[in-house]
Amino acid sequence: MYSLVKSISVIDRGISNHYAVTCQLHACPLHLTNKTRLARQLKLFPLEILVQQLGESLSSIQEGSNVNDLLSDFDSKAKEVLDNIAPLRTISIKGDSLKPWYNDTTHEARQRRRQLERNAMSSGLEVHTQMLAEQTRAVVHMISSSKPSYYQEKLTTADSKETFRVISSLVNYNAGTPLPPATGDQTRADDFVQFFYSKVQKIKQGIDVSDLHDNTASPNLDRPVHDLGSFKIQTQKVVDKVIRSCANKTCSLDAIPTALLKNSTVLSMMLLTITELENISLSTGVFPNELKRALVTPRLKKFRLDMRTFSNCRPDSNIPFINKVIERVVAQQLNSDLTRNGLHDDLQSAYKTGTSIETAILRIKIVVEAVLDEGDAMLLVLLDLSAAFDTIDHTLLLEILREEVGLTDTALRWVQSYLSGRIQAVKINSSVSSDVPLSTGESQGSVSVPFSFWCTFSHSGELSTRMT
């Protein structure tokens, strides 16, 4: 059995009544290979020219368009400008450049070392050999100092989630996902998309959805009745804040790279169109069809699982950036409405401000201690749901949102539009499988997935669980 922890030491520093606990971890060597991908060489062109052409192109977008036409115009015009200035090209990324601490200074130093190596081999002069040795020592020192500096700065400013990511990268817990053998990437992609689709279908067949509908908790008549008939129209300032709070991750379905979009100059020019797109969607209750597609990458669930077994992999979805922006705005309004009307479950310890896995563990600990103090026995039952987010029943979710949360009219139509017609495909390197429908659940990585699952889980009769 593989253990991540190699050894543990408990040290008394003598300065506190607490002991310092240290450990050594098994870290597997990571050999990064060169990768190829499609990219735009935007750094070769002045930003002013790009902003000017984008502004001229987007200014011709017809006002008052429906949300699908507006998004289509936005995407096509942005892509047209980028294709003219910096068309997509296949570039090769060296393995070393994939390391986060590998910067331009280190790259230039290694290039200089390579140049001196060629000079020493061609001339055979002692002076060139000495220069090569000095440059080699400089490169080694630069790498050995830049790595700890990078990770020290990361861990100093990181929150708990980012700390976990940094530590995982250091021990190579999820470094690269080996894929099952196949004749090619296209075959792997087709096989994976059928596996993920069939898995959800099999789970659905084992669930009697009619029972869930029959046992859905009845509305609490003592609770004041309230309705959320529409979502609030957003200002450019609010949308700007939401965009800047999102990560820089880009999807190949995006018309413009996320990092470029979040540039202050570019964003100030495109913010009006994005805000209009957001508000038309909210006011009409229509979610754009072009944003309902997700590209899935298979990831190993746990380190060192057998890569030849498809069930050891989970789907990691990449969705368009504008999708995330609209979702985040809606999720904020829904959570505010739940908090304001006291609809959050008191025992919920996830996807709610001020709660986490720590609060769940502490609550269980308190209950266990109280039972043991009374001299009674304790039985703890843990429920692990397979493909929980992927099997959310849309009809049941809409019913709960209407009866329990109070969504009506445009707000309810927006959620229904958001859930309907969703599709996904598996992408491996540059190969993309055929699309399959998502008749239940939502794309993994979606902002609203946790909220949808919480609504379904905590308000459907047989699934609802309470600690007693």
Side-chain angles (χ1 to χ4, degrees):
M1 178 65 68
Y2 175 80
S3 176
L4 178 63
V5 180
K6 183 177 181 180
S7 63
I8 300 176
S9 301
V10 180
I11 306 172
D12 184 4
R13 297 293 186 184
I15 59 176
S16 171
N17 58 348
H18 296 280
Y19 291 91
V21 180
T22 63
C23 67
Q24 291 183 329
L25 304 177
H26 287 284
C28 301
L30 177 61
H31 304 286
L32 294 176
T33 57
N34 294 351
K35 291 187 177 182
T36 59
R37 66 180 179 89
L38 292 174
R40 303 183 187 273
Q41 296 178 308
L42 295 169
K43 293 183 179 180
L44 301 179
F45 300 90
L47 183 62
E48 295 77 13
I49 297 178
L50 175 63
V51 172
Q52 179 184 355
Q53 293 193 17
L54 281 174
E56 293 174 355
S57 180
L58 294 179
S59 63
S60 62
I61 292 180
Q62 184 176 1
E63 296 183 1
S65 304
N66 63 58
V67 67
N68 287 304
D69 291 342
L70 180 60
L71 178 62
S72 179
D73 286 346
F74 176 83
D75 283 352
S76 62
K77 293 183 183 301
K79 287 180 180 178
E80 182 180 2
V81 171
L82 291 177
D83 287 340
N84 290 334
I85 294 180
L88 287 169
R89 299 179 184 274
T90 302
I91 63 173
S92 177
I93 306 176
K94 293 185 177 181
D96 286 327
S97 62
L98 297 174
K99 299 176 182 178
W101 48 264
Y102 189 87
N103 51 35
D104 293 338
T105 304
T106 306
H107 182 67
E108 292 172 359
R110 292 191 62 188
Q111 284 185 321
R112 174 60 177 166
R113 182 183 64 178
R114 181 60 177 162
Q115 181 183 5
L116 292 174
E117 183 182 5
R118 287 194 294 266
N119 292 342
M121 293 178 64
S122 61
S123 68
L125 298 176
E126 181 65 23
V127 63
H128 286 164
T129 303
Q130 292 178 357
M131 292 175 64
L132 173 61
E134 292 177 0
Q135 184 66 17
T136 300
R137 286 192 293 269
V139 170
V140 172
H141 174 73
M142 189 176 299
I143 292 176
S144 61
S145 60
S146 62
K147 288 174 65 175
S149 298
Y150 169 82
Y151 288 112
Q152 182 177 4
E153 181 181 355
K154 269 285 187 182
L155 292 172
T156 301
T157 58
D159 55 16
S160 58
K161 184 179 295 186
E162 182 63 22
T163 300
F164 177 79
R165 291 197 187 104
V166 173
I167 295 177
S168 296
S169 66
L170 284 172
V171 299
N172 301 330
Y173 180 77
N174 195 27
T177 300
L179 298 175
T183 56
D185 290 340
Q186 186 63 54
T187 303
R188 290 192 186 96
D190 292 334
D191 291 344
F192 263 112
V193 77
Q194 290 302 320
F195 168 75
F196 289 139
Y197 177 77
S198 300
K199 177 183 177 181
V200 174
Q201 296 305 310
K202 290 179 181 178
I203 295 176
K204 284 174 54 182
Q205 292 174 3
I207 300 176
D208 191 345
V209 180
S210 61
D211 287 344
L212 297 180
H213 287 279
D214 294 339
N215 288 282
T216 301
S218 302
N220 184 357
L221 300 179
D222 295 331
R223 189 186 68 203
V225 178
H226 79 286
D227 291 332
L228 180 61
S230 62
F231 295 117
K232 295 180 181 178
I233 299 300
Q234 302 299 301
T235 63
Q236 293 187 41
K237 183 178 180 180
V238 172
V239 176
D240 179 87
K241 184 177 180 181
V242 171
I243 291 176
R244 295 183 186 278
S245 67
C246 295
N248 285 346
K249 187 176 182 180
T250 295
C251 177
S252 58
L253 301 174
D254 288 328
I256 182 170
T258 303
L260 177 62
L261 175 63
K262 294 177 67 175
N263 179 279
S264 298
T265 306
V266 177
L267 182 57
S268 62
M269 181 269 301
M270 307 184 76
L271 187 58
L272 177 61
T273 304
I274 297 176
T275 304
E276 183 181 3
L277 175 66
E278 172 95 39
N279 289 333
I280 291 178
S281 176
L282 298 180
S283 61
T284 60
V286 177
F287 189 81
N289 293 326
E290 292 186 22
L291 300 181
K292 296 182 180 181
R293 186 170 185 246
L295 296 180
V296 176
T297 301
R299 304 287 187 191
L300 278 179
K301 295 179 180 178
K302 295 181 180 180
F303 181 58
R304 288 195 173 182
L305 288 176
D306 186 359
M307 67 177 181
R308 294 167 297 182
T309 304
F310 278 29
S311 58
N312 289 337
C313 297
R314 60 177 176 81
D316 182 14
S317 298
N318 197 3
I319 57 180
F321 182 76
I322 300 298
N323 185 337
K324 298 178 184 178
V325 175
I326 300 177
E327 282 184 359
R328 195 174 292 267
V329 169
V330 171
Q332 289 176 353
Q333 294 193 41
L334 285 175
N335 280 318
S336 297
D337 183 74
L338 291 172
T339 303
R340 183 171 54 253
N341 293 282
L343 296 178
H344 276 298
D345 195 305
D346 295 336
L347 301 179
Q348 179 184 347
S349 291
Y351 315 119
K352 186 174 69 172
T353 303
T355 65
S356 63
I357 186 64
E358 287 86 354
T359 58
I361 293 174
L362 289 174
R363 181 178 292 116
I364 294 174
K365 178 178 179 294
I366 293 173
V367 173
V368 170
E369 289 178 344
V371 172
L372 295 179
D373 288 342
E374 295 293 330
D376 297 328
M378 167 61 66
L379 177 64
L380 178 62
V381 179
L382 301 177
L383 178 62
D384 183 12
L385 300 178
S386 178
F389 289 167
D390 297 320
T391 54
I392 299 172
D393 182 75
H394 292 171
T395 304
L396 177 61
L397 174 60
L398 291 171
E399 181 180 342
I400 292 171
L401 289 174
R402 181 179 64 253
E403 298 294 337
E404 291 291 311
V405 181
L407 260 64
T408 60
D409 302 331
T410 307
L412 188 63
R413 288 199 305 272
W414 186 95
V415 177
Q416 186 173 15
S417 174
Y418 170 82
L419 294 173
S420 63
R422 301 198 73 86
I423 56 177
Q424 71 177 20
V426 170
K427 181 178 181 181
I428 298 178
N429 296 326
S430 58
S431 300
V432 181
S433 71
S434 57
D435 294 333
V436 296
L438 289 178
S439 56
T440 59
E442 302 176 42
S443 302
Q444 295 285 345
S446 173
V447 177
S448 60
V449 164
F451 172 81
S452 300
F453 175 71
W454 167 79
C455 283
T456 307
F457 182 83
S458 62
H459 289 279
S460 57
E462 290 187 336
L463 292 179
S464 181
T465 58
R466 303 286 294 184
M467 291 177 57
T468 57

